[in-house]
Amino acid sequence: MGEKPLRLCLVRHGETDWNRAQRLQGWTDVPLNAEGQAQAAAAAQELASERFDAIYSSTLQRARATAEALARPHGLPLRLDERLRERHLGDLQGLLRADIQARHPEVNTLLQQRRPGYAPPGGENLPQFRARVQAWLADLVRAHAGQQVLAVSHGGVLDLVHRLATGGDFDAPRRVTLGNAALNWFVWRQERWWVEAMGLDDHLEQSLDERTV
């Protein structure tokens, strides 16, 4: 028999008021709203029967609060990692998507076209963002061979991992739904990541898609 694969359940954080308003969050430390807290509790119940060897989270509180709920049934310590943070959007953080489209159409075009070299003032470009996420994944593979790991992060991070696992173009528009508190399973085998399941959300009454930039 071959070596047991590493399985990763990657969950996007629960809903925030900024998600609902379509306000760019990035590294802004926005808390879960009541719906987000209920989503985290539902996801925790859905995953309670799974066995995990480690649980990771972004340091931002919307992810951390979600991860704390998910970790509770398993009695495992939460491992916080800044590399799981959302893409840093610099001066665009806090702006409504509609306002960017109306007032800064050139910036909106750069974001939607995913220009690799473009970084919002004070923020990250896509290669910088991708490099830190891939560094976390590489460490995960080294530390957890043959194990099952749970991680809570953000839509942009989940989008990057999905592209990596499907061989997708990192600069193309996103084509996958990334709902709040949905479950997404990836597996590391044959020296690469594969998608096992995306967007599992039967445990949720509602879940907003992440309109990744």
Side-chain angles (χ1 to χ4, degrees):
M1 293 180 64
E3 185 179 346
K4 184 180 178 182
L6 161 63
R7 294 182 77 225
L8 169 64
C9 182
L10 185 56
V11 182
R12 183 178 167 226
H13 61 80
E15 183 184 299
T16 71
D17 287 341
W18 283 28
N19 287 146
R20 186 154 293 280
Q22 295 189 23
R23 191 180 297 277
L24 296 187
Q25 295 181 112
W27 284 15
T28 308
D29 208 8
V30 184
L32 296 178
N33 60 19
E35 180 62 32
Q37 293 170 7
Q39 290 171 336
Q45 184 175 358
E46 185 72 9
L47 289 172
S49 62
E50 291 284 347
R51 181 187 178 280
F52 293 105
D53 297 286
I55 302 179
Y56 288 83
S57 175
S58 157
T59 57
L60 295 171
Q61 64 175 311
R62 58 190 184 271
R64 190 175 68 246
T66 304
E68 287 170 350
L70 298 185
R72 204 165 290 126
H74 304 282
L76 291 172
L78 195 57
R79 307 185 189 195
L80 300 177
D81 198 311
E82 290 189 346
R83 294 174 297 180
L84 284 170
R85 286 186 171 207
E86 182 60 279
R87 180 183 176 186
H88 195 332
L89 296 174
D91 292 350
L92 300 182
Q93 293 172 173
L95 298 181
L96 294 172
R97 294 180 186 277
D99 288 344
I100 296 174
Q101 292 171 358
R103 301 176 190 174
H104 308 286
E106 69 290 344
V107 170
N108 186 63
T109 297
L110 289 168
L111 289 173
Q112 297 305 317
Q113 292 181 349
R114 296 179 64 86
R115 300 281 181 88
Y118 172 70
E124 292 177 296
N125 62 32
L126 285 172
Q128 291 169 330
F129 180 31
R130 186 168 71 242
R132 66 173 165 88
V133 174
Q134 288 183 301
W136 177 77
L137 288 170
D139 285 348
L140 198 73
V141 168
R142 284 190 287 269
H144 298 288
Q147 296 184 344
Q148 184 158 285
V149 176
L150 174 62
V152 181
S153 189
H154 305 266
V157 173
L158 182 53
D159 178 43
L160 287 178
V161 177
H162 178 265
R163 290 172 191 263
L164 186 67
T166 58
D169 184 348
F170 285 104
D171 306 325
R174 177 169 65 84
R175 303 187 186 280
V176 64
T177 299
L178 307 172
N180 287 117
L183 311 181
N184 308 277
W185 288 91
F186 301 90
V187 60
W188 172 265
R189 65 171 184 268
Q190 300 171 342
E191 298 302 309
R192 58 158 290 186
W193 288 100
W194 304 80
V195 174
E196 192 172 275
M198 289 291 297
L200 303 179
D201 60 3
D202 287 349
H203 56 289
L204 302 171
E205 292 185 4
Q206 60 174 321
S207 179
L208 295 176
D209 183 21
E210 165 65 286
R211 301 189 180 188
T212 306
V213 295

